[in-house]
């Protein structure tokens, strides 16, 4: 197409960047073993507690979220111990792969793609198939667009004094109401390239006192992802090893932005965009891939009959510079996903929905132009004062 085409990310990570945080990182040069950086790190850790909605300590690693996930396994488990895993998609399956990599036996409760993990089955295993050292699950499964009931599961695990509840909230943080302290979440994991609106490269993990006690007895090997060592170092404002200093500066300012906006308002923003997208999809004659318990972080939409979602994703990128995500693994070609986590506003959504209407026409799915946008506008009006 002739003319200007701006690239826009509507992927569930990386997400659009907060410009103010990027500019601060470009103008600051800090050495990590200085009082200035220690002060900034302490402020950042305090802000992470606000972001996580927890009183527990939060550690930071220079890695993707998967690094902190691996650390949760290696810091909690010993050879011969077992874990219970709830999986509802590709990232739940990552827990299974991580446990296998460390020789840890796992009992897996698997939900069909598009469905949340059945908590009643998790409860039965905890009652009859134990003991387990840890229970592992996602708050939101971004590969399928579903939300798991971590509140109900956490309250069950909380009654087990030697079993820790570990939640991958990498796309849940900033999009989903989470009360880790009240729900018995012992380790909750996040990542920088999601709702914090900065580039990839940092992972975060909150650590309850229960988890800290279990870690003292863990016998699995670890070195870089040593939660206890990092917790001790960060208490002094230092990381155990060279941190990604520019990203920490970005995170510091992004969290200041989130505090001014309000954690609840950040979550409400994602919730509004998700609801509007779901209503828009129905108005366009499409159906949801998430059969129940849809997530706020990302909306998964089934491809129209006879049309591969890969074609829609490609056309959106080529024609409008819009990056959506196709299905992963066996879901490829069956669905596409539109993200809502982080630095998106309602006008961003109207733009992508308008573009989607044109693309659907071009690939052979007839729609009434404006119907999807109109449905989203009605959701906005319903929620506006």
């Amino acid at each position: 197409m002739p003319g200007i085409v701006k690239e826009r990310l509507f992927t569930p990570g990386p997400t659009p960047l907060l410009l103010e945080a990027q500019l601060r990182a470009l103008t600051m040069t800090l050495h990590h073993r200085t009082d200035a950086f220690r002060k900034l790190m302490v402020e950042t850790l305090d802000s992470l507690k606000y972001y996580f909605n927890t009183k527990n300590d939060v550690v930071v690693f220079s890695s993707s979220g998967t690094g902190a996930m691996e650390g949760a396994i290696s810091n909690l488990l010993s050879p011969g111990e077992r874990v219970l895993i709830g999986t509802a998609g590709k990232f739940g399956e990552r827990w299974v792969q991580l446990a296998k990599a460390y020789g840890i036996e796992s009992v897996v409760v698997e939900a069909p793609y598009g469905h949340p993990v059945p908590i009643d089955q998790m409860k039965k295993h905890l009652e009859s198939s134990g003991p387990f050292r840890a229970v592992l699950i996602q708050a939101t499964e971004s590969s399928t667009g579903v939300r798991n009931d971590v509140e109900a599961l956490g309250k069950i695990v909380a009654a087990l004094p030697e079993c820790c509840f570990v939640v991958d909230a990498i796309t849940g943080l900033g999009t989903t109401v989470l009360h880790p302290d009240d729900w018995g979440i012992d380790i909750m994991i996040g990542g920088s390239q999601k709702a914090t609106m900065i580039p990839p490269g940092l992972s975060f993990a909150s650590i309850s006192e229960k988890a800290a006690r279990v870690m003292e007895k863990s016998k699995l090997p670890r070195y870089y992802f040593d939660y206890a060592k990092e917790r001790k170092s960060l208490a002094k404002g230092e990381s155990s090893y060279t941190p990604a200093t520019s990203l920490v500066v970005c995170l510091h300012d992004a969290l200041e932005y989130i505090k001014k906006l309000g954690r609840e308002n950040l979550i409400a923003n994602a919730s509004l965009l998700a609801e509007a997208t779901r209503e828009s999809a129905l108005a366009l004659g499409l159906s949801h891939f998430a059969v129940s318990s849809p997530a706020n972080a990302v909306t998964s939409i089934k491809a129209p009959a006879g049309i591969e979602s890969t074609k829609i994703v490609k056309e959106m990128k080529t024609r409008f510079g819009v990056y959506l995500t196709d299905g992963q693994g066996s879901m490829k070609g069956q669905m596409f996903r539109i993200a809502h986590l982080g630095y998106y506003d309602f006008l961003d959504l109207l733009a992508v929905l308008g573009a989607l209407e044109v693309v659907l026409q071009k690939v052979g799915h007839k729609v009434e132009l404006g119907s999807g946008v109109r449905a989203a506008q009605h959701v906005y009006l319903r929620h506006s004062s």
Side-chain angles (χ1 to χ4, degrees):
M1 295 294 294
I4 296 172
V5 176
K6 296 181 180 180
E7 291 190 344
R8 293 175 170 86
L9 289 178
F10 283 86
T11 58
T15 61
L17 303 178
L18 181 66
L19 182 60
E20 296 95 314
Q22 291 295 297
L23 290 175
R24 179 85 188 284
L26 288 172
T27 58
M28 288 191 73
T29 303
L30 288 174
H31 190 276
H32 59 289
R33 303 300 185 204
T34 62
D35 288 340
F37 189 80
R38 292 185 191 99
K39 180 178 182 292
L40 184 135
M41 179 63 91
V42 168
E43 291 174 355
T44 302
L45 294 171
D46 188 60
S47 295
L48 276 173
K49 289 184 180 182
Y50 170 79
Y51 181 57
F52 272 61
N53 194 23
T54 185
K55 294 179 181 178
N56 294 328
D57 289 339
V58 181
V59 294
V60 178
F61 294 101
S62 297
S63 77
S64 69
T66 304
M69 291 173 70
E70 178 172 338
I73 297 282
S74 63
N75 281 264
L76 288 175
L77 279 295
S78 296
E81 293 180 336
R82 303 159 72 236
V83 294
L84 176 64
I85 300 174
T87 173
K90 301 302 290 185
F91 295 101
E93 292 163 11
R94 187 166 297 178
W95 279 130
V96 179
Q97 295 161 356
L98 285 167
K100 184 178 180 181
Y102 280 90
I104 295 298
E105 178 187 348
S106 59
V107 174
V108 181
V109 174
E110 187 174 359
Y113 290 165
H115 296 261
V117 172
I119 303 304
D120 58 338
Q121 290 186 34
M122 299 286 283
K123 183 173 185 288
K124 287 178 183 177
H125 279 290
L126 287 169
E127 292 172 343
S128 61
S129 305
F132 297 100
R133 178 61 77 198
V135 175
L136 314 171
I137 200 169
Q138 273 63 37
T140 59
E141 175 56 71
S142 59
S143 72
T144 63
V146 301
R147 175 182 55 83
N148 290 315
D149 191 351
V150 295
E151 177 182 5
L153 184 56
K155 290 179 177 178
I156 297 167
V157 180
L160 306 172
E162 297 299 319
C163 182
C164 288
F165 187 37
V166 182
V167 175
D168 162 9
I170 294 171
T171 56
L173 279 162
T175 67
T176 310
V177 174
L178 297 167
H179 297 279
D181 299 358
D182 296 335
W183 298 353
I185 299 176
D186 297 300
I187 294 179
M188 192 162 77
I189 296 166
S192 60
Q193 76 276 26
K194 306 295 183 177
T196 47
M197 303 169 275
I198 67 172
L202 296 178
S203 61
F204 332 118
S206 62
I207 306 169
S208 74
E209 289 306 315
K210 179 181 177 182
R213 289 194 300 270
V214 170
M215 287 176 191
E216 291 176 356
K217 297 179 280 188
S218 168
K219 303 299 183 187
L220 281 183
R222 64 262 191 184
Y223 186 80
Y224 183 78
F225 295 107
D226 187 325
Y227 276 40
K229 179 169 61 179
E230 205 63 33
R231 187 188 186 200
K232 184 177 179 181
S233 295
L234 288 171
K236 299 177 289 185
E238 293 189 355
S239 56
S240 300
Y241 309 102
T242 305
T245 53
S246 294
L247 287 176
V248 174
V249 172
C250 280
L251 178 62
H252 177 276
D253 274 37
L255 291 172
E256 287 298 311
Y257 174 85
I258 290 170
K259 285 161 66 177
K260 290 176 184 176
L261 176 67
R263 180 184 58 232
E264 293 79 8
N265 290 327
L266 180 65
I267 294 169
N269 184 73
S271 177
L272 171 66
L273 299 181
E275 182 182 346
T277 304
R278 293 193 298 268
E279 291 294 318
S280 178
L282 295 177
L284 293 172
L286 304 172
S287 55
H288 302 144
F289 189 86
V291 177
S292 61
S293 191
N296 292 334
V298 59
T299 298
S300 55
I301 301 170
K302 287 185 179 179
I307 301 172
E308 287 194 352
S309 57
T310 307
K311 191 173 183 181
I312 296 170
V313 170
K314 183 178 179 181
E315 190 73 9
M316 287 288 284
K317 177 185 173 184
T318 302
R319 189 172 293 275
F320 294 110
V322 171
Y323 287 78
L324 305 182
T325 36
D326 204 345
Q328 293 179 264
S330 63
M331 295 175 279
K332 185 176 177 63
Q334 297 182 24
M335 54 95 110
F336 60 94
R337 293 168 290 157
I338 301 175
H340 318 297
L341 64 170
Y343 201 47
Y344 295 104
D345 65 12
F346 194 72
L347 288 181
D348 291 327
L349 181 64
L350 292 183
V352 76
L353 293 176
L356 179 61
E357 292 179 0
V358 171
V359 164
L360 289 172
Q361 288 274 34
K362 290 292 184 181
V363 299
H365 178 71
K366 299 301 180 185
V367 299
E368 179 188 349
L369 292 177
S371 58
V373 170
R374 183 166 57 249
Q377 290 171 324
H378 282 304
V379 172
Y380 178 87
L381 290 171
R382 192 159 68 235
H383 287 279
S384 64
S385 56

